Amino acid sequence: MVKDIINDRINRLRKLIAKENFDTFMVLVEENRRYLSGFTGGDSQFDETAGILFITETSLILATDSRYDEQAKIESPQYEIIQYKEGLVKELSTILGNLNTKKLGFESARLAVMQYDIIKEELKKAGSEIELVPVKELVEKLRVNKSEPEIESIKKATAIAETAFTECLKSITPGITEAETAWILEKNIREAGADALSFTPIIASGPNSAMPHAIPGKRKIKPGEPFLFDWGAKIDGYCSDTSRTVTLGKPDDHFEKIYQIVYDSQRMAIDAIKPGVSSKSIDKIARDHIDQKGYGKHFGHGLGHGTGLSVHEPPSLGPIKEYILEPGMISTVEPGIYIPGWGGVRLENMIVVRDDGAEVLNTLDLDHYIVEV
Ligand code: GLY
Ligand code: MN
Ligand code: MN
């Protein structure tokens, strides 16, 4: 089953490669590697790699080191596993020579200039005339349309994250810190069955919630002020991403007004999502509403983004890059209003584009934001 899924992805990628100006494709992005091989090794940090794929019309190679060799053989049976001992660049010319590579496509999003220079130098030393061809968003083109099993994994991740949040709300009262709340939520996410968190949760109270990506700290939540949560779970490598803003006890009228604007802008955007429409136009619907209500300058970020093996991936629902929405695309819809000194409200749901519109993957209520204390 998994083997069939991987084979299908490789076949679709090979069709794309056939139209490109290179004969060997070097896959460097961790999520693309997993998507095309099933290998779950993680890169840990930007200057490390757990392995690199080399894909040609007829060959599949996963080059890795001794830490991952055994795992790669188990997880990626379609691939020839090559274990490099002195770093990949030393063995690159041999691997590419065996593949008869003339032009090497590489994922330019992931190769640092320093690494690029070293590869160039090593190939030159080895007397190779292989041309390096930068490639942008090729595997991402495949990843953007999710299959039903992928959508199921994201739904499951969303459900787990929501259970964790609902449980978390039961155990918080005024005086608890953001960091303490974050730990309860993190623990709940794991206990509810997640493989991992999608990202470190954002939990921000009062004025801190005016920072869209605030880090949970020692501030204690007070009754009635905005309490913003942004969190997610991972299942089978697939990420969920949800935000809610609540108040412990009754908020003031200002909060209710801001909440309603954000709520309406999200609903208007979701209602407009369907195949064939421009991602930019969806962003504009939400943004125009917030603008008309006088808060345009307090909504700085894009309306949403795709989510899958990465928490942020195409399509973006923002004002800059345009995607035409297609069935199977998954995106967040997350308008927000952030007022320095007061706080912010962000409401983030995930949707999948279906033939007849958007299916919302969340089941958490947006109408009730008051947590009884
Ligand atoms: N978790 C960050 C975001 O919503 O994109
Ligand atoms: Mn989020
Ligand atoms: Mn998001």
Side-chain angles (χ1 to χ4, degrees), residues 330-352:
I330 282 189
S331 181
T332 67
V333 182
E334 50 177 304
I337 293 178
Y338 310 94
I339 304 171
W342 176 75
V345 172
R346 176 164 67 254
L347 301 175
E348 177 176 27
N349 271 347
M350 295 183 66
I351 62 93
V352 56

Side-chain angles (χ1 to χ4, degrees), residues 124-175:
K124 200 167 143 200
K125 267 198 241 160
S128 163
E129 291 187 355
I130 292 168
E131 194 184 320
L132 294 177
V133 182
V135 179
K136 269 204 293 203
E137 291 196 356
L138 192 65
V139 188
E140 287 78 0
K141 262 188 210 149
L142 301 177
R143 281 174 48 201
V144 76
N145 293 99
K146 268 69 178 180
S147 65
E148 286 308 320
E150 289 179 294
I151 295 167
E152 274 315 304
S153 294
I154 295 173
K155 269 191 187 168
K156 215 163 132 191
T158 304
I160 284 171
E162 290 190 338
T163 303
F165 175 70
T166 306
E167 285 304 309
C168 178
L169 291 187
K170 288 181 191 161
S171 48
I172 56 172
T173 47

Side-chain angles (χ1 to χ4, degrees), residues 172-321:
I172 56 172
T173 47
I176 194 167
T177 69
E178 296 161 345
E180 285 162 350
T181 309
W183 175 237
I184 295 170
L185 184 63
E186 289 187 30
K187 206 159 145 288
N188 288 355
I189 292 172
R190 295 302 300 261
E191 286 178 358
D195 300 334
L197 306 178
S198 301
F199 53 90
T200 305
I202 297 160
I203 296 193
S205 64
N208 288 348
S209 56
M211 294 181 274
H213 279 190
I215 295 166
K218 292 199 170 82
R219 190 177 183 283
K220 294 178 176 168
I221 178 73
K222 295 180 192 153
E225 59 182 14
F227 202 12
L228 192 153
F229 291 70
D230 186 346
W231 77 107
K234 260 193 192 183
I235 285 287
D236 306 326
Y238 287 88
C239 302
S240 73
D241 184 10
T242 299
S243 302
R244 289 290 182 271
T245 310
V246 299
T247 58
L248 304 191
K250 208 173 153 21
D252 60 16
D253 291 349
H254 185 55
F255 179 92
E256 292 195 340
K257 179 180 155 196
I258 300 292
Y259 192 97
Q260 190 65 43
I261 298 167
V262 176
Y263 176 102
D264 289 341
S265 73
Q266 191 202 52
R267 187 183 39 76
M268 288 171 180
I270 290 177
D271 285 350
I273 290 173
K274 60 180 182 194
V277 304
S278 149
S279 58
K280 277 178 156 181
S281 73
I282 303 300
D283 175 273
K284 190 169 176 338
I285 288 169
R287 199 166 300 282
D288 282 353
H289 180 69
I290 291 175
D291 202 28
Q292 279 158 17
K293 295 287 176 187
Y295 291 93
K297 73 172 186 297
H298 296 293
F299 176 30
H301 58 71
L303 178 67
H305 54 85
T307 295
L309 289 170
S310 306
V311 71
H312 292 161
E313 60 181 52
S316 106
L317 291 195
I320 298 167
K321 194 161 175 185

